[in-house]
Amino acid sequence: MLQLQNLYKIYKEGDIETVALREARLTVQPGEFVAITGRSGAGKSTLLSLIGGLATPNAGRVVIDGTDIARLSEGERAAFRREQIGIVYQADNLISFLTAQENVMAPLQLARRKDARRRAQELLAEVGLAQRMQHRPAMLSGGERQRVAIAVALANEPALLLADELTGELDSATADKVMALLATLNASHKLTLVVVTHNKLVAARAHRQVLIADGQLFEQAAAHG
Ligand SMILES: Nc1ncnc2c1ncn2[C@@H]1O[C@H](COP(=O)(O)OP(=O)(O)O)[C@@H](O)[C@H]1O
Ligand SMILES: [Mg+2]
């Protein structure tokens, strides 16, 4: 599904170079749920932006379903991202003046889907928001907003869902409910899931944990018992 090969990402600001990723390697199987953990500044968001095709590496390959997305043109990469990848961030995923339903409909309409309204309603019901479809983001709780964001990200049936600290602004009980929802979607849709977090409880929901430290990835041994 996903293969990262010897990825390097170097940020240059004037004379200062920051090596955010070095020799990063990772293989994720279809349907797997992987958590990438690490401290602030370790390179988590950088890694996710490369997997999501929002940035390109200085060296190495990002292979998704056989395509090295680092070798695509900007336009091709944008199209690939629209069709194959869903992304949810910590906050501000939604368009503030649209209702929950309209937010989910937006990517469906962009993809010219005729069943946009019905599909948006189904997705919102699936994330437990059948009673909140006509609410705008400001009228929803933080957990509800993140559920809407997950529905938006799933609208065009991506094979790969990426999440960057998606529970970072939620209290721990709400965060765990959002993670339980992701685990359910991972199982029911055979969705491949890569979640970046500094929260150990969030990471514990994943099948597999990978630690990132100083831009390098390390497989974590599975917990016993
Ligand atoms: N656009 C950027 N320009 C310069 N340095 C950056 C940029 N984005 C991130 N960095 C640096 O790269 C390193 C990794 O950052 P990041 O991927 O955001 O880590 P994390 O998400 O784990 O907190 C940090 O040292 C950060 O300061
Ligand atoms: Mg980050």
Side-chain angles (χ1 to χ4, degrees):
M1 174 72 222
L2 170 67
Q3 247 190 324
L4 308 179
Q5 299 172 357
N6 291 325
L7 276 189
Y8 279 81
K9 182 66 179 180
I10 300 158
Y11 294 110
K12 290 194 181 107
E13 292 169 293
D15 291 341
I16 304 170
E17 281 196 357
T18 305
V19 183
L21 292 176
R22 66 186 86 216
E23 283 184 42
R25 293 186 195 88
L26 180 70
T27 300
V28 178
Q29 303 299 335
E32 214 179 354
F33 177 2
V34 176
I36 296 174
T37 63
R39 297 181 177 196
S40 177
K44 302 184 297 298
S45 294
T46 298
L47 184 72
L48 218 65
S49 68
L50 295 180
I51 300 173
L54 297 162
T56 50
N58 295 79
R61 289 154 56 89
V62 180
V63 182
I64 300 176
D65 257 348
T67 302
D68 180 2
I69 63 167
R71 297 287 173 279
L72 298 177
S73 70
E74 289 281 337
E76 288 168 339
R77 193 160 48 246
F80 188 90
R81 188 166 65 236
R82 247 190 340 267
E83 289 159 17
Q84 311 283 343
I85 302 173
I87 309 185
V88 183
Y89 298 98
Q90 181 164 354
D92 300 327
N93 293 289
L94 304 177
I95 301 168
S96 63
F97 54 85
L98 298 182
T99 65
Q101 180 177 301
E102 289 164 346
N103 266 282
V104 184
M105 285 174 69
L108 292 161
Q109 288 165 330
L110 277 176
R112 301 182 187 283
R113 301 253 315 230
K114 294 212 164 49
D115 59 345
R117 182 174 305 272
R118 189 177 53 79
R119 173 136 176 86
Q121 291 171 349
E122 282 172 7
L123 280 159
L124 285 166
E126 192 172 4
V127 299
L129 293 178
Q131 309 306 319
R132 296 285 185 277
M133 299 204 251
Q134 305 311 327
H135 287 52
R136 292 203 174 80
M139 304 189 312
L140 298 169
S141 71
E144 288 171 342
R145 280 200 287 273
Q146 292 304 69
R147 286 168 184 270
V148 177
I150 291 168
V152 171
L154 294 180
N156 287 317
E157 295 157 285
L160 178 61
L161 183 69
L162 308 176
D164 191 350
E165 303 281 6
L166 93 160
T167 61
E169 293 191 357
L170 306 179
D171 64 78
S172 55
T174 308
D176 200 52
K177 281 187 193 148
V178 169
M179 292 312 294
L181 169 66
L182 279 188
T184 303
L185 293 169
N186 164 252
S188 59
H189 291 250
K190 299 200 172 35
L191 187 68
T192 309
L193 201 51
V194 179
V195 172
V196 150
T197 181
H198 66 273
N199 182 326
K200 292 198 167 64
L201 289 173
V202 165
R205 286 258 178 201
H207 301 153
R208 204 174 122 210
Q209 294 186 33
V210 177
L211 176 72
I212 181 166
D214 286 332
Q216 284 190 296
L217 294 173
F218 303 93
E219 290 288 338
Q220 299 290 89
H224 291 284

